[in-house]
């Protein structure tokens, strides 16, 4: 290379000493900031610089707001000696001045510590691992029932915060007080990039702006940007860099622009990012492990496999289902008993342990179903084709086959890898029509009738043991085929055939759980559903008592029976409301490793042991369970990670996280589509029932739309009505009207777009009429027919 064409080396470092050394040696050296600022052709890059020097970014007023965080060494000493407790910081969605810390370890007495007020939260952010100091009992507080959102634009509004904090502290009975503490230091920050919107500064030409995250548990973030005018009205991503002691908000920097707020693609992207759902297309490395097409079953595939293609097997699924995991058959044996088979897609045949396809499926953990989009756990070639048990094609399966008597008692159980050929792919409705139709007597229909008869016996037996039938208002959208906007909502209908398939899936899951636990007592992957602590039920018991009904909660069986008895002839929907409320009292069902736990019980299903085997196309847990079962019956070989209980526990931890996030993402998708629906529908008035009463609001459910919302009784810039809240009954008195849980009200529903970022369904009271609170209504577009009753199962 000629001398004039030589590459110029420059040294970029944020370390002062290194920079000085480089300059001494004649190497041009810059800090990252200096170098980026020198690139005058790309001024927008400056926005992406992290705010590193906390001193330089402190607000000029410099008033110290927060106490100092103690260094890690001091925190560790304090935790060891018991002065401090370590836990996960959970911010509240409803109140930005309140949070809880879930204490790690076996500290039964203080499992959960409440924090109230800015200074006590001390710059901790949702999901951080923190050290807290317990306050003396005289300073303990009760969780507040006030809904408070951070509306302030002004940095110096700290006095105002203090006034709001005083509002949280209300007179409560001693037993309501909870262990209360303050954050003394941060053990581990769990920051991630946050989606949200810019709240542009009112000061002209200002580069400093506040960013408001979409997640209400995250505080606003101060960023510097020169592109404020182009970023207004857009969804953007921002990262946090630090939080100085004298700043009301943390500092951060702009990462990227996602697109216009309210657009379907942008909002879906936000929803997936915010719930940490992996949704990038599958990489080439992952796809390289898929079978080459055209694919067919070889002799090698038939090794250790039974040929069941002669059996009259069929699948029953929702309409439009392409990822068919399961198929069933039932036939009479020569000895007069029945043979029933559950056949599940043999996904573990295609996904081999440890390769890129396996790692990616394990990372995703589950398929996520949004209103108009499915984010697959495995590539489409498997999910909708080779693993999908479609009719009239040969498919590899894992079969669980029972011999039963006509009273649905299991006489023998057999597990085998198999090859099947489904004779029909039916929807729940089609299967129901066949069962009910007198002139159909073909093999498929006979098989379905046999299955349905046994399923009814199994269900009755399960309910006798104390299994719960809970309710949730489930809604489906009808989409416009052109614009893909929701045009109508329909509440899901549940047929007998839904229940029929479900009974056999439960039975297969229980049979497999017993088998893998017998074989691998230390490293079976199981699923448990813990019984809720009695305090969880308070709200349900009080609500029922206000209607003169008794709900017993000492066992699942007594809960199930008292829910069955809790009927009101004049108010038929009451029972569904109680079941919806009971669902809210439940704990989350979780995956766990049998060697790391001794409580296996599944509360909702009233089963001593349970696992997931029946949906390996859309759940990774089932893939592991298939591998364990295959090793147990000698149909496949084991591998080291499969028998390592610590590795399995890590897998369970990720699966539990992914399942929870998938659930939240699905709810957020329904909420967004509900907004689109009301955007086009305009203002409507509907019947609603009160689910909860709060200090300044009621939470209502609108059965027609399966929609929940809050009616606030205190509005900014309006005189506040006289509110009296009684936690014992519970009730809320406004002027002269008293509201109880389950009261029927009429509300007006409209889309409130005043806050672009959190467009929300706004509900206001129409009836009962309270002067100055209720709004007049036009009843012309009201549907006054009562809500339909429906039930749904819990905790699969």
């Amino acid at each position: 290379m000629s001398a004039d064409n030589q590459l110029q080396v420059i040294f970029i470092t944020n370390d002062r000493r290194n920079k000085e050394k480089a300059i001494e040696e004649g190497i041009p050296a810059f800090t990252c900031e200096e170098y980026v600022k020198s690139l005058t052709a790309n001024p927008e890059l400056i926005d992406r610089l992290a705010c590193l020097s906390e001193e330089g970014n402190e607000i000029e007023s410099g008033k110290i707001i927060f106490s100092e965080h103690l260094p890690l060494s001091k925190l560790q000493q304090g935790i060891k000696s018991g002065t401090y407790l370590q836990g996960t910081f959970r911010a509240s969605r409803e109140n930005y001045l309140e949070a809880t810390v879930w204490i790690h370890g076996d500290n039964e007495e203080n499992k959960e510590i409440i924090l109230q007020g800015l200074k006590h939260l001390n710059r901790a952010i949702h999901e951080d691992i923190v050290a807290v100091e317990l306050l003396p009992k005289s300073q303990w507080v009760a969780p507040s029932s006030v809904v408070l959102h951070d509306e302030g634009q002004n940095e110096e509004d700290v006095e105002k915060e203090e006034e709001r904090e005083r509002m949280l502290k209300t007179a409560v009975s001693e037993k309501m007080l909870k262990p209360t503490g303050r954050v003394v230091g941060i053990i581990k920050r769990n920051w991630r990039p946050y989606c949200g919107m810019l709240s542009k500064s009112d000061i002209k030409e200002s580069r400093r702006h506040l960013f408001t995250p979409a997640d209400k548990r995250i505080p606003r973030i101060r960023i510097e940007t020169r592109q404020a005018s182009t970023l207004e009205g857009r969804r953007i991503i921002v990262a946090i860099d630090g939080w100085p002691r004298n700043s009301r908000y943390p500092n951060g920097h702009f990462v990227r622009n996602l697109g216009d707020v309210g657009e379907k693609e942008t909002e879906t992207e936000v929803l997936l990012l915010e719930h940490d759902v992996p949704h990038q297309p599958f990489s080439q490395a992952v796809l390289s492990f898929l079978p080459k097409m055209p694919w067919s079953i070889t002799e090698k595939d038939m090794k250790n496999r039974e040929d069941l293609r002669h059996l009259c097997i069929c699948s029953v699924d929702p309409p439009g289902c392409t990822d068919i995991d399961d198929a069933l058959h039932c036939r009479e044996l020569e000895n007069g008993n029945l043979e029933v088979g559950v056949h599940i897609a043999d996904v573990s045949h295609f996904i081999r342990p440890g390769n890129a396809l396996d790692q990616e499926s394990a990372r995703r953990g589950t398929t996520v179903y949004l209103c108009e989009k499915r984010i697959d756990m495995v590539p489409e070639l498997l999910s909708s084709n080779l693993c999908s048990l479609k009719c009239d094609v040969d498919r590899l399966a894992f079969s669980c086959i029972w011999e039963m008597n006509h009273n649905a008692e299991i006489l023998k159980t057999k597990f085998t890898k198999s090859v099947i050929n489904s004779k029909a792919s039916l929807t729940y409705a089609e299967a129901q029509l066949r069962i009910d139709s007198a002139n159909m007597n073909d093999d498929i229909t006979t098989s379905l009738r046999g299955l349905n008869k046994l399923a009814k016996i199994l269900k009755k037996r399960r309910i006798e043991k104390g299994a719960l039938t809970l309710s949730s208002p489930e809604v489906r959208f009808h989409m416009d085929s052109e614009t893909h906007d929701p045009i109508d909502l329909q509440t899901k209908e549940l047929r007998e055939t839904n229940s029929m398939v479900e009974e056999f899936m439960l039975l297969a899951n229980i049979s497999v759980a017993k088998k893998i636990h017998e074989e691998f007592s230390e490293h079976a992957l199981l699923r448990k559903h813990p019984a809720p602590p009695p305090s969880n039920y308070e709200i349900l018991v009080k609500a029922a008592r206000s209607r003169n009904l008794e709900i017993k909660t000492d066992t699942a069986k007594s809960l199930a029976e008292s829910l069955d008895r809790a009927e009101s002839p004049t108010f038929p929907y009451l029972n569904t409301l109680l079941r919806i409320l009971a669902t809210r009292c439940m704990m989350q069902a979780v995956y766990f490793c049998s060697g790391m736990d001794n409580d296996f019980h599944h509360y909702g299903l009233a089963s001593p042991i349970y696992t997931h085997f029946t949906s390996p196309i859309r759940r990774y847990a089932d893939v592991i369970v298939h591998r364990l079962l295959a090793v147990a019956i000698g149909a496949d070989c084991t591998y080291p990670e499969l028998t390592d209980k610590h590795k399995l526990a890590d897998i369970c931890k990720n699966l539990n996280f992914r399942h929870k996030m998938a659930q939240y993402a699905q709810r957020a998708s329904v909420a967004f589509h509900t907004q689109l629906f009301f955007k086009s529908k305009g203002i409507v008035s509907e019947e609603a029932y009160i689910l909860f009463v709060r200090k300044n609001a009621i939470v209502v459910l609108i059965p027609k739309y399966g929609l929940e919302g809050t009616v606030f009784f205190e509005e900014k810039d309006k005189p506040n009505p006289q509110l009296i809240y009684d936690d014992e009954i519970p009730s809320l008195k406004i002027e002269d009207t008293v509201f109880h849980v389950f009261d029927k009200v009429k509300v007006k529903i409209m889309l409130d777009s005043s806050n672009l970022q959190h467009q929300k369904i706004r509900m206001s009271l129409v009836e009962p009429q309270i002067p100055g609170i209720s709004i007049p209504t036009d009843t012309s577009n009201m549907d006054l027919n009562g809500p339909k009753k429906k039930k749904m199962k819990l905790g699969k």
Side-chain angles (χ1 to χ4, degrees), residues 330-428:
C330 172
R331 61 174 184 168
E332 195 155 334
L333 298 170
E334 283 173 2
N335 63 10
N337 288 331
L338 297 168
E339 177 187 86
V340 175
V342 165
H343 310 276
I344 305 297
D346 188 4
V347 178
S348 65
H349 173 85
F350 296 96
I351 300 182
R352 302 312 294 165
N355 69 22
L357 174 58
D358 182 43
Q359 287 172 353
E360 182 59 22
S361 309
R363 184 173 82 94
R364 294 187 177 214
T366 177
T367 291
V368 181
Y369 296 88
L370 304 181
C371 285
E372 285 187 89
K373 193 177 183 156
R374 187 178 88 197
I375 288 116
D376 281 328
M377 179 182 87
V378 299
E380 197 176 10
L381 178 66
L382 296 182
S383 67
S384 297
N385 189 351
L386 303 185
C387 292
S388 186
L389 305 180
K390 302 189 288 196
C391 60
D392 303 323
V393 286
D394 292 352
R395 287 288 176 260
L396 301 180
F398 209 146
S399 301
C400 172
I401 299 167
W402 302 280
E403 184 178 326
M404 293 183 173
N405 60 21
H406 287 263
N407 197 21
E409 285 156 341
I410 298 171
L411 309 170
K412 280 187 196 143
T413 307
K414 179 173 90 173
F415 304 103
T416 177
K417 289 234 175 181
S418 60
V419 56
I420 65 167
N421 187 305
S422 166
K423 304 297 179 267
S425 303
L426 306 172
T427 64
Y428 290 118

Side-chain angles (χ1 to χ4, degrees), residues 100 103 108 119 146 190 201 216 246 274 386 395 470 474 498 587 624 675 773 778-779 795:
T100 48
I103 300 306
E108 276 313 311
K119 292 186 167 66
V146 180
N190 265 328
S201 167
K216 289 195 171 142
N246 62 353
E274 278 299 291
L386 303 185
R395 287 288 176 260
L470 296 182
E474 276 216 57
N498 291 61
M587 308 291 283
I624 296 282
Q675 288 173 13
I773 299 271
D778 160 24
T779 53

Side-chain angles (χ1 to χ4, degrees), residues 598-609:
N598 42 24
D599 169 29
F600 292 9
H601 193 76
H602 196 296
Y603 180 80
L605 296 172
S607 175
I609 191 165

Side-chain angles (χ1 to χ4, degrees), residues 659-682:
H659 274 264
K660 191 167 74 182
M661 286 302 143
Q663 229 176 352
Y664 291 160
Q666 282 152 358
R667 280 182 210 158
S669 178
V670 170
F672 174 62
H673 279 79
T674 308
Q675 288 173 13
L676 289 179
F677 174 73
F678 283 107
K679 198 174 185 171
S680 60
K681 205 167 167 66

Side-chain angles (χ1 to χ4, degrees), residues 31 43 60 111 284 385 408 435-436 564 573 582 602 644 688 739 779:
T31 64
E60 284 67 24
K111 206 68 194 138
Q284 276 317 114
N385 189 351
I435 291 170
D436 298 341
D564 286 342
Y573 195 61
H602 196 296
D644 178 335
F739 290 102
T779 53

Side-chain angles (χ1 to χ4, degrees), residues 8-35:
Q8 187 195 5
V9 175
I10 60 170
F11 183 49
I12 295 181
T13 176
N14 281 346
D15 184 273
R16 199 181 72 231
R17 280 227 187 92
N18 274 337
K19 189 182 160 189
E20 286 166 1
K21 267 192 192 151
I23 292 170
E24 273 170 32
E25 292 182 24
I27 301 168
F30 302 92
T31 64
C32 193
E33 189 171 346
E34 288 165 346
Y35 179 68

Side-chain angles (χ1 to χ4, degrees), residues 241-258:
D241 300 316
W243 195 340
R245 285 177 60 195
N246 62 353
S247 167
R248 168 67 185 81
Y249 297 110
N251 294 324
H253 66 275
F254 167 73
V255 178
R256 75 185 169 103
N257 179 354
L258 294 171

Side-chain angles (χ1 to χ4, degrees), residues 313-315 324-329 341-344 389 420 422 505:
I313 292 170
C314 66
S315 64
I324 303 173
D325 283 295
D326 52 89
L328 299 155
H329 88 271
V342 165
H343 310 276
I344 305 297
L389 305 180
I420 65 167
S422 166
M505 296 306 125

